[in-house]
Amino acid sequence: MNIEELREYCLSKTAVSEGFPFDEETLVFKVLDKMFLLTNITGELQMNVKCDPEKAIELREMYSSVLPGYHMNKKYWNTVVIDGSVSDRQLEQWVDDSYDQVVAKMTKKKQNELMNLK
């Protein structure tokens, strides 16, 4: 997976926007203004994704390319180095999980708003 494929996949999800709120190199994807994925646009491709705390630890133990979230709450976020060691399908699943984690923490009103957009 490359940056364009990652970007396209994220933007294919409902109510997703993208932007550069931190600097010119960190692309952030949000669902209804809640961040679910960050990635760099220069250097080695990586993504930060939200994860269930127990699953986050399990993934770090299973994959050498999965690390505690860089500049994030390491309990909930993982940094994934996209170096070809993990399949695109698995990467997409982690993007989906991150999106779902963020949506699950939204208010019922926001969740209903999102459902009406689908």
Side-chain angles (χ1 to χ4, degrees):
M1 179 175 286
N2 62 39
I3 184 65
E4 289 302 322
E5 292 165 330
L6 177 61
R7 181 176 174 269
E8 187 177 304
Y9 188 75
C10 289
L11 291 174
S12 73
K13 304 186 87 43
T14 303
V16 169
S17 62
E18 64 181 332
F20 292 90
F22 304 119
D23 58 39
E24 293 126 22
E25 295 181 5
T26 307
L27 180 58
V28 175
F29 293 92
K30 297 179 179 181
V31 53
L32 296 180
D33 297 323
K34 296 290 184 182
M35 190 167 47
F36 74 94
L37 187 141
L38 297 87
T39 188
N40 58 306
I41 60 167
T42 60
E44 183 180 35
L45 184 59
Q46 301 178 9
M47 67 178 180
N48 281 11
V49 287
K50 195 163 190 181
C51 195
D52 171 78
E54 289 180 19
K55 187 172 182 179
I57 293 168
E58 179 182 316
L59 293 175
R60 292 172 200 162
E61 291 172 352
M62 289 176 59
Y63 299 94
S64 61
S65 60
V66 178
L67 310 166
Y70 182 69
H71 285 303
M72 305 297 283
N73 183 331
K74 290 160 183 33
K75 180 177 180 181
Y76 297 101
W77 289 83
N78 277 341
T79 295
V80 180
V81 178
I82 302 174
D83 60 4
S85 64
V86 176
S87 72
D88 287 358
R89 182 63 208 123
Q90 183 63 67
L91 295 171
E92 289 171 354
Q93 183 61 56
W94 291 339
V95 172
D96 294 345
D97 290 346
S98 182
Y99 180 94
D100 293 343
Q101 285 278 321
V102 171
V103 169
K105 296 290 185 188
M106 290 180 175
T107 64
K108 290 292 180 200
K109 181 179 178 184
K110 286 285 188 182
Q111 289 176 355
N112 288 336
E113 181 182 333
L114 184 62
M115 294 306 284
N116 289 333
L117 295 171
K118 288 186 177 184

